[in-house]
Amino acid sequence: MSAIPAIAAAPIGRRVSTLRTAAAAALVVLAIPAIALLSGRAGIAPDFAARLLPPALAHPFGTDPLGRDMLFRTIKGLALSLQVGLVASLLSVLIATALALLGATSRWADEVVGFLVETVMGLPHIVLLILIAFALGGGTGAVIVAVAVTHWPRLTRILRAEILQLRSADYVRISRRFGKSWFWIGRRHMLPHLLPQMLVGLLLLFPHAILHEAALSFLGFGIEPARPAIGILLNEAMGYLLAGRWWLGLFPGLCLVGLVLCFDAIGNGARAMLDPRASED
Amino acid sequence: MALDVRLSADHPGGFVLLRLLRLVLVLLAVAIIAFALLKASPIDPVDAYLGADIARVGPDQRAAIAERWGLDQPAPVQFTRWLSQLLSGDPGFSRLYNAPVAEVIAERAGASFLLMALAWALSGVVGFGLGILAGARENSLVDRIIRTYAYGLAGTPTFWIAMVMLMVFSVGLGVTPVCCAGPIGVPPADVTLLERLHHLVLPLIALTLLGVAQITLHTRAKMVEIMSSEIALYARAQGASRADIALRHGARNAALPAITMLFASLGELFGGAVLAEQVFAYPGLGQATIAAGLGGDVPLLLAITLVAAALVSVGNAIADLLYRLVDPRMRRGPHEVLQ
């Protein structure tokens, strides 16, 4: 329970190869929003002359029932997933940090935070996601809030353990004896230790956030059906599955898996660089 | 005397008692949070109930409906009423299925729990086996294949696996049915066991694949640790074969952590079941969750939330107890361990 489980943890290789993989993955991830921005209305503008075409050179991923190119729809969907994932994981890390710090203030606060963690962990993610999306009436904003609110508990536990350890570290005790305030110690001694954990936590939360966003949109609770999100694309594909239009469902999902694996590679690369405990790998 | 047992986390009995108390508190907190979230929804229950008839109903009638349902009371009063109803065994009426919530859940829980229990057991056995196989010889070809497979699987959304399986086996090859828990048009009571199993195969595989990855990776890591320990080295020096060590030392030591992890992963199992059931139109609790959420059926959604929370929290509690069993350091409590 000590670490956020990487969806696909580092192939136990050497540090250099881990970092090389991470750099390649980062390039792929950065290319997605760039292509989505530069491609203009490709994948959005309907073309009724080219409805439901199977994959071919002109349309590598085929076309959808409105004749839109599935390759560009997928890329735009991935870009949207990235946006939602980024905002949601950032919020989640902020919640986790705030609660972990709060928990460090007193034994009583620690109990309350621990209880909150346990309560959120006691519900299947998907059920809590549905409840929150329902409470907020659906839409992109609701997805972001729902994903952010469900993903903080593990990181909170990690940060809490880190803070407790730091608090009893010798240099913190000595600082304390020298009369430094907790605020000064927090800023100068604790934050530099917590920041790498927060960054790695952010990167490792990302794939979880993206997958849950896709699931929520797929089920119909999430992003508005008019926007090309991966979950929406897959939801639409369900209707054409029995008619044998396999390309509608296959490629967007495959690309989503690719994106998730990219983020895991980046997260593991960051951990290899930032976490001293991982340096022996 | 039994009453003299101090409520202390250090005492085994005390720990279990405290853990049970926490469990009840967590469930209560879940009930409050779920109720508050559903109350905060912009969807008006009376509007949702009326549906298309909304134009034919005057404000008086609306007020009458709201009063009959107790919606004119403040939220805390509504909550306590709902809770006391629930504790007396009546979770309300499902508008969506036009039946008491208890009936809907009882009917669907059977189908869901069959699916989840089989997937749970199967992913435990398969995942453990693969983990042992991979961890017995680190970085061997078998290890690499199993590792790559588990990593890839772990990053794959359940609902997409389910879709691909539907495309390949039901649409492409035509060997499995496309939906439901029995042939279309046959009442549930008349479905034979063979037909049931035939309809269960795909959801079961989809759900099992989800669980396998985690157990495999976890067991593998544990195995690698044991195989490089001094126990293994000593046994090797005495002439034991690698397979012998893997089974006698590795598998035995890795078993309990794997079981613990299985209990802690019940939340993901339920989440996976929701998605798999939706794709295969399998009439279980998961599908009802989504229908209730999309259709604004508040009593049903609340009740399912509590069932899911109970399942997951009990799983977490069992995992906690097992952790203490596995790792004596945990018995000193989290605070002491950290310092």
Side-chain angles (χ1 to χ4, degrees):
Chain A
M1 231 183 277
S2 60
I4 292 179
I7 281 196
I12 322 284
R14 275 205 228 93
R15 224 164 117 96
V16 179
S17 75
T18 308
L19 290 180
R20 207 172 282 152
T21 319
L27 273 181
V28 174
V29 169
L30 288 177
I32 290 167
I35 298 174
L37 273 178
L38 293 175
S39 61
R41 287 185 51 77
I44 294 177
D47 175 7
F48 293 106
R51 298 176 58 219
L52 287 172
L53 293 179
L57 260 185
H59 301 286
F61 286 9
T63 59
D64 78 348
L66 295 177
R68 294 174 291 194
D69 183 77
M70 283 304 285
L71 173 62
F72 284 107
R73 276 179 81 67
T74 301
I75 291 177
K76 290 200 160 97
L78 292 176
L80 188 60
S81 290
L82 282 174
Q83 285 173 32
V84 172
L86 182 67
V87 180
S89 342
L90 266 176
L91 280 176
S92 223
V93 171
L94 284 182
I95 296 174
T97 314
L99 284 176
L101 286 172
L102 190 73
T105 53
S106 74
R107 182 96 187 204
W108 186 81
D110 193 35
E111 286 291 326
V112 173
V113 171
F115 185 72
L116 266 178
V117 167
E118 202 178 326
T119 306
V120 174
M121 280 187 152
L123 259 178
H125 271 169
I126 204 89
V127 172
L128 187 57
L129 284 168
I130 290 175
L131 287 177
I132 295 172
F134 185 81
L136 297 175
T140 311
V143 175
I144 292 176
V145 173
V147 174
V149 171
T150 38
H151 284 72
W152 54 269
R154 278 219 171 91
L155 187 60
T156 305
R157 280 197 173 164
I158 297 168
L159 292 178
R160 171 188 172 275
E162 192 82 5
I163 291 172
L164 285 184
Q165 236 170 18
L166 283 174
R167 218 170 39 177
S168 55
D170 281 341
Y171 54 88
V172 169
R173 288 189 176 170
I174 293 168
S175 272
R176 210 45 203 149
R177 289 283 161 85
F178 278 150
K180 300 290 186 195
S181 71
W182 273 120
F183 180 75
W184 191 92
I185 294 172
R187 197 163 53 86
R188 299 297 286 269
H189 286 316
M190 292 202 175
L191 210 56
H193 275 274
L194 291 180
L195 265 178
Q197 290 281 358
M198 287 162 63
L199 191 65
V200 172
L202 177 73
L203 286 168
L204 290 178
L205 271 181
F206 222 105
H208 288 266
I210 290 175
L211 285 180
H212 277 120
E213 178 267 307
L216 208 50
S217 299
F218 175 75
L219 294 176
F221 292 95
I223 291 175
E224 300 81 357
R227 303 183 75 177
I230 295 291
I232 301 287
L233 295 188
L234 291 176
N235 187 320
E236 285 171 5
M238 273 302 289
Y240 291 88
L241 220 58
L242 299 186
R245 320 284 191 204
W246 51 271
W247 60 90
L248 292 177
L250 184 67
F251 295 121
L254 213 53
C255 291
L256 183 65
V257 175
L259 184 66
V260 165
L261 292 181
C262 277
F263 262 102
D264 259 16
I266 299 173
N268 284 315
R271 187 157 60 185
M273 267 196 298
L274 297 174
D275 190 348
R277 266 158 292 184
S279 63
E280 297 130 38
D281 292 349
Chain B
M1 257 174 74
L3 283 175
D4 286 341
V5 176
R6 256 185 60 236
L7 268 185
S8 142
D10 300 328
H11 190 279
F15 179 80
V16 173
L17 214 63
L18 275 179
R19 199 66 193 72
L20 273 176
L21 195 69
R22 264 183 102 91
L23 189 69
V24 173
L25 281 178
V26 163
L27 284 180
L28 188 68
V30 167
I32 293 174
I33 291 171
F35 193 87
L37 281 174
L38 293 181
K39 274 267 99 164
S41 171
I43 300 167
D44 183 69
V46 180
D47 285 351
Y49 169 67
L50 292 173
D53 290 335
I54 196 161
R56 290 192 282 151
V57 174
D60 292 349
Q61 258 176 305
R62 288 183 55 102
I65 295 172
E67 196 191 324
R68 187 171 144 69
W69 286 356
L71 288 172
D72 51 344
Q73 304 287 330
V77 176
Q78 288 183 31
F79 177 73
T80 45
R81 278 188 184 177
W82 169 71
L83 197 64
S84 62
Q85 282 272 317
L86 185 74
L87 292 179
S88 68
D90 175 22
F93 191 84
S94 163
R95 190 170 40 73
L96 204 61
Y97 294 96
N98 204 20
V101 166
E103 244 173 58
V104 177
I105 289 188
E107 192 185 307
R108 287 173 167 260
S112 263
F113 287 154
L114 177 69
L115 173 66
M116 285 198 279
L118 283 176
W120 193 67
L122 214 58
S123 62
V125 171
V126 176
F128 187 67
L130 286 179
I132 298 285
L133 217 57
R137 197 184 276 267
E138 200 186 352
N139 286 330
S140 64
L141 186 66
V142 178
D143 180 29
R144 275 185 212 174
I145 292 172
I146 292 177
R147 217 167 56 198
T148 314
Y149 167 76
Y151 287 141
L153 212 58
T156 313
T158 324
F159 61 96
W160 185 67
I161 294 191
M163 279 176 74
V164 171
M165 280 174 34
L166 203 57
M167 283 191 271
V168 174
F169 294 106
S170 297
V171 181
L173 300 174
V175 291
T176 45
V178 290
C179 88
C180 321
I184 297 163
V186 178
D190 296 347
V191 179
T192 62
L193 184 66
L194 203 66
E195 282 170 338
R196 275 201 77 131
L197 289 177
H198 191 210
H199 283 79
L200 194 67
V201 169
L202 279 194
L204 180 61
I205 296 177
L207 201 52
T208 306
L209 283 176
L210 169 82
V212 162
Q214 271 208 336
I215 300 290
T216 302
L217 292 174
H218 190 254
T219 307
R220 181 193 165 276
K222 191 83 198 163
M223 276 297 286
V224 167
E225 189 189 314
I226 297 164
M227 292 307 280
S228 59
S229 70
E230 289 187 358
I231 300 171
L233 188 68
Y234 189 62
R236 196 103 177 95
Q238 285 184 321
S241 72
R242 195 177 266 275
D244 216 34
I245 301 172
L247 286 179
R248 281 173 201 277
H249 295 289
R252 279 189 192 176
N253 279 307
L256 211 47
I259 294 171
T260 309
M261 183 153 190
L262 266 178
F263 276 105
S265 67
L266 283 178
E268 275 161 60
L269 183 73
F270 191 90
V274 169
L275 290 160
E277 284 178 12
Q278 179 70 2
V279 173
F280 295 110
Y282 186 82
L285 273 184
Q287 208 208 10
T289 316
I290 296 161
L294 291 177
D297 193 338
V298 173
L300 184 58
L301 195 52
L302 272 176
I304 295 178
T305 304
L306 280 181
V307 171
L311 183 75
V312 175
S313 300
V314 169
N316 283 348
I318 294 176
D320 265 9
L321 291 174
L322 285 175
Y323 270 126
R324 286 166 61 85
L325 211 65
V326 177
D327 187 350
R329 279 171 301 177
M330 294 288 282
R331 280 178 214 160
R332 275 183 284 153
H335 295 283
E336 283 83 347
V337 170
L338 287 168
Q339 276 155 26

